[in-house]
Amino acid sequence: MRPRTRARRVAMYVLLTALAILFIFPMVFMVAGAFKPDALVLAEGNTIRAFWPTDASFDNFVGAFRRGRFGQLFINSAIISTAVVGLGLVVNSLMGYALARLPFRGSKLLLLAVISLMIIPLEAVAIPLLWMMSLVGLRNTYTVQILPFIANPLFIYLFYTFFLGIPRDLEEAARVDGAGPVTTFLRVSAPLAKPAYATVGILSFLFIWGQLLWPVLVTSGPDVRPLPLGISVFVTQPPISWGQIMAFAFMMTIPLLVLFIVFQRWFVQSVASSGVKG
Amino acid sequence: MSTTDASPGPVATAEHGSDGRPGSSSRRRNLAGVAFTLPGVVLLLLFLAGPFLMALGLSFTSERLASPLPTRFVGLDNYVATFTSASFRKALGNNIWFTAIVVPVQTAMALGLAILVNQRLRGVKVYRAIYFSPVVVVMTVAATVWLLLYSPDRGLLNGILSFISFGTLQSDWLQSETMALPSIMIMSIWQGVGFQMIIILAGLQEISGDLYEAAAIDGATPWQRFSFITIPQLRNPLIFVGTVTMILSFRLFDQVWVMTRGAPLGNTNVMMLEMVNVGFEQQQIARGSAIAVIFFLIVLTLTLIQRRFLKEEVN
């Protein structure tokens, strides 16, 4: 639909812009705060100057690295996220492909099981999982933050439906040429499934980069602590420095922001196709 | 494979495999199928299905984290203790209150935004991206920034309030017994509404233009077009968005952890925070598991309701 008169179009833009300000002002506030001297973040916090980086410098960023240990926490988050996303893509796509294309005894039942498991949220298993992980002495490691998140019923299902929709002809042609299941998957099916890999990759990164509940339960020091828990600790760490906290928050957002700007279309499509976000 | 069985020639040769034995290729595919699923199955059993069954089992015992005391079977004791605990009841009440407000408000706002950004206007895609952008900000970051915005004496929100009301209006926001939970609601809607908007927008774009043209010929008013075409056509996306938001409302944790930890006086305590407090801080694994089971039953109920309503449309 398109507004008919010029006046209506102008009114529309006014409304759209007013709403845009509502959505974007906390982010502008965060970025401005990250660059201004610590004392001014509070002093100008309730004025229009809250949106302006008065006396801009990088001092807060240095502080976030020194006092907030941003570097260490960033590396932790990067290691955990890369492992979860990378291993997850392999494990979930293999399983989704097998369920769609390589039927075996019991594979229908397995598909049903995967669909049922989609209902169980992480929160429902966090406490017994914590108990199990302490029994085997895995607490406070990278492993304990990676292993539980690799296999994901929703992602297996997304891959399953995608592979089901790929025409069989190409795979059959590869088989005629003597390619086995592994070669067929690697050379033909997986390359065709790039959109599914992009969707699952983005969704799983969005989820794991922001994960807070599980690190609260299984990590206790900054050595393996990821960024979301890191910022919640930094906010309470005296003497509280809001400038440094804003710098921490800003830097923590950059990877996702870059990903969003570069892959905007994919991002929006992934979210629309998923319906589940942690 | 029916396709290969039916077709003669080269396909049939492939079916016999390079070693010439009939069926070896299909055996190989069977084997590959099992091998491809194995890592996923093992991980799902270890980290999802297993712990889930364990939650059920543990919730009937006296298990504690790292305790020398022997584990006993205690029947329904943990469930009784949970439901008689004032702090759990308050948490559950807060979740229900949060859901009752956030689900309708956020869904309605998402619908409004989706309609706005579905117009054919130049630059509308930029607005779409801006409304969506808070979704990209991790919840802990959003909560941290809003923590400062909500500050009673130095926060921007009180600055704005006092400016437009000539200094008469102020709120203690997160530190106020009445405003703490609504403050978390506002922030959560701000962060999440763009996500629902995108799903509803996808639904809007599937509505055929013919419907609106036919209505225009019949002289339907904009309101009639909205209530007799748009809303019924959006049935599935709206049900989907509504139930997903309900489930997310019961999973509420990150904002509360960063902003209040349940304060003041437990007025922002929620089920997941209660579970962490009982199961982890107080090391009562068994009671924490009972809360997890109760939480799962709520999610299960909501999911079944969603599937039932969505199904009608499919058939």
Side-chain angles (χ1 to χ4, degrees), chain A residues 97 101 162-163 165-181 183-193, chain B residues 3 11 29:
Chain A
Y97 179 74
R101 281 292 194 262
F162 194 91
F163 283 121
I166 293 180
R168 277 175 188 271
D169 313 10
L170 288 165
E171 289 173 30
E172 296 294 346
R175 276 175 64 197
V176 171
D177 291 343
T183 320
T184 309
F185 174 76
L186 288 178
R187 294 275 163 78
V188 182
S189 317
L192 284 172
Chain B
T3 46
V11 179
R29 288 167 60 78

Side-chain angles (χ1 to χ4, degrees), chain A residues 1-2 13 16-17 23 27 42-43 45-46 51 101 103-104 123 128 131 180 213 217 256 271 275 277, chain B residues 28-30 51 63 119-120 122 127 131 133 136 153-156 190 195 240 244 248 251 257 275-276 280:
Chain A
M1 232 149 284
R2 184 181 165 80
Y13 278 116
L16 284 166
T17 308
F23 277 95
M27 269 100 94
L42 281 183
N46 55 1
F51 298 111
R101 281 292 194 262
F104 52 90
E123 290 88 340
W131 179 72
L213 180 75
L217 298 180
L256 278 173
V271 168
K277 194 190 149 270
Chain B
R28 236 170 99 195
R29 288 167 60 78
N30 265 318
E63 188 64 35
Q119 297 176 102
R120 267 182 287 140
R122 196 175 298 162
Y127 290 103
Y131 301 161
S133 60
V136 180
D153 46 345
R154 309 279 3 150
L156 189 64
W190 170 83
F195 164 74
F240 179 78
V244 167
L248 288 178
R251 293 170 72 176
W257 178 263
M275 184 180 87
V276 170
F280 171 64

Side-chain angles (χ1 to χ4, degrees), chain B residues 60-102:
Chain B
F60 297 105
T61 70
S62 63
E63 188 64 35
R64 296 179 66 89
L65 199 61
S67 156
L69 295 171
T71 309
R72 287 177 302 114
F73 176 78
V74 297
L76 287 172
D77 282 8
N78 290 314
Y79 290 93
V80 174
T82 302
F83 276 111
T84 49
S85 140
S87 124
F88 175 81
R89 277 156 60 167
K90 190 148 195 175
L92 183 62
N94 285 336
N95 275 119
I96 293 171
W97 181 220
F98 186 94
T99 311
I101 302 292
V102 169

Side-chain angles (χ1 to χ4, degrees), chain A residues 112-125:
Chain A
L112 268 179
V114 168
I115 294 172
S116 323
L117 285 177
M118 273 164 59
I119 301 174
I120 307 177
L122 158 77
E123 290 88 340
V125 299

Side-chain angles (χ1 to χ4, degrees), chain B residues 10-312:
Chain B
V11 179
T13 325
E15 180 63 30
H16 286 240
S18 43
D19 55 0
R21 276 186 294 120
S24 82
S25 162
S26 95
R27 248 205 313 279
R28 236 170 99 195
R29 288 167 60 78
N30 265 318
L31 211 67
V34 174
F36 277 25
T37 49
L38 204 61
V41 170
V42 170
L43 288 168
L44 286 177
L45 280 176
L46 275 177
F47 296 107
L48 196 57
F52 176 69
L53 295 176
M54 222 166 263
L56 284 173
L58 285 169
S59 70
F60 297 105
T61 70
S62 63
E63 188 64 35
R64 296 179 66 89
L65 199 61
S67 156
L69 295 171
T71 309
R72 287 177 302 114
F73 176 78
V74 297
L76 287 172
D77 282 8
N78 290 314
Y79 290 93
V80 174
T82 302
F83 276 111
T84 49
S85 140
S87 124
F88 175 81
R89 277 156 60 167
K90 190 148 195 175
L92 183 62
N94 285 336
N95 275 119
I96 293 171
W97 181 220
F98 186 94
T99 311
I101 302 292
V102 169
V103 172
V105 171
Q106 188 169 339
T107 309
M109 283 179 62
L111 175 62
L113 290 174
I115 292 173
L116 275 179
V117 297
N118 193 34
Q119 297 176 102
R120 267 182 287 140
L121 282 171
R122 196 175 298 162
V124 81
K125 283 199 173 139
V126 176
Y127 290 103
R128 212 179 279 174
I130 290 176
Y131 301 161
F132 181 77
S133 60
V135 177
V136 180
V137 179
V138 172
M139 187 53 96
T140 46
V141 168
T144 305
V145 174
W146 279 78
L147 194 58
L148 185 50
L149 294 176
Y150 277 138
S151 158
D153 46 345
R154 309 279 3 150
L156 189 64
L157 292 181
N158 268 354
I160 295 170
L161 268 187
S162 125
F163 178 73
I164 57 174
S165 70
F166 302 102
T168 52
L169 272 178
Q170 291 285 287
S171 172
D172 285 338
W173 301 109
L174 294 164
Q175 287 155 41
S176 142
E177 279 176 44
T178 48
M179 275 307 289
L181 193 58
S183 303
I184 292 179
M185 292 177 188
I186 295 170
M187 182 263 146
S188 305
I189 293 173
W190 170 83
Q191 203 267 350
V193 71
F195 164 74
Q196 336 290 70
M197 175 193 78
I198 290 297
I199 293 172
I200 296 176
L201 181 66
L204 274 178
Q205 288 171 342
E206 273 175 23
I207 303 179
S208 152
D210 299 354
L211 286 172
Y212 289 107
E213 275 170 34
I217 291 167
D218 290 344
T221 63
W223 175 251
Q224 282 171 328
R225 287 201 300 263
F226 175 75
S227 49
F228 292 113
I229 300 174
T230 311
I231 294 293
Q233 291 287 319
L234 283 179
R235 188 194 139 95
N236 266 357
L238 285 177
I239 291 174
F240 179 78
V241 160
T243 41
V244 167
T245 315
M246 271 190 220
I247 292 173
L248 288 178
S249 302
F250 281 96
R251 293 170 72 176
L252 185 62
F253 175 75
D254 296 11
Q255 303 93 303
V256 177
W257 178 263
V258 172
M259 296 172 105
T260 60
R261 304 261 167 123
L265 300 172
N267 280 359
T268 61
N269 195 17
V270 286
M271 266 178 90
M272 288 301 102
L273 187 65
E274 182 73 8
M275 184 180 87
V276 170
N277 282 338
V278 171
F280 171 64
E281 310 277 356
Q282 301 168 20
Q283 316 236 314
Q284 305 190 54
I285 289 289
R287 267 191 61 192
S289 297
I291 297 176
V293 171
I294 296 165
F295 163 73
F296 170 75
L297 290 176
I298 294 172
V299 172
L300 178 70
T301 314
L302 293 173
T303 310
L304 292 179
I305 292 173
Q306 178 197 48
R307 295 214 170 147
R308 190 180 155 73
F309 278 108
L310 287 181
K311 219 171 197 166
E312 277 175 23

